[in-house]
Amino acid sequence: MRTEKSTFFRKSNIPWYDTDTACLINAVVMFVFLLFGIDGIKVARQIEAYRDYIWVPVLFFVLSATVFAINLIRLVKRYTRSSAM
């Protein structure tokens, strides 16, 4: 969706998924998934039959850590930009 060049009379609209609340909820959910991936790695290392499938919780951990880091960086940039003004 295009925004007009001049937003003098009104605020420009931002998508709902790019709000502070949505990013914070996403970061919290990804942190829970991150912990779940760590637990999955521990279980896969302990049980001999699951050692061939350790790549699944590792992939889960890496993907959730990536999304968590991206959301955390986005939130830090927003709060530092708003506090500087």
Side-chain angles (χ1 to χ4, degrees):
M1 184 167 84
R2 290 184 171 175
T3 59
E4 294 182 17
K5 301 231 186 255
S6 174
T7 58
F8 182 73
F9 293 108
R10 61 185 170 136
K11 276 177 61 175
S12 61
N13 292 334
I14 59 171
W16 65 268
Y17 53 84
D18 200 25
T19 60
D20 291 341
T21 307
C23 286
L24 189 61
I25 290 171
N26 194 359
V28 168
V29 169
M30 286 300 123
F31 184 72
V32 171
F33 286 171
L34 187 88
L35 295 176
F36 185 69
I38 291 171
D39 194 41
I41 292 169
K42 287 179 186 178
V43 169
R45 291 182 73 187
Q46 288 175 355
I47 300 174
E48 186 70 34
Y50 295 156
R51 288 207 178 143
D52 292 338
Y53 303 106
I54 198 167
W55 64 271
V56 176
V58 168
L59 181 67
F60 197 68
F61 172 78
V62 169
L63 292 175
S64 61
T66 304
V67 174
F68 176 72
I70 289 170
N71 274 312
L72 200 63
I73 290 169
R74 183 180 291 167
L75 285 171
V76 167
K77 282 183 182 179
R78 282 190 188 163
Y79 286 121
T80 56
R81 190 178 316 141
S82 67
S83 65
M85 290 182 177

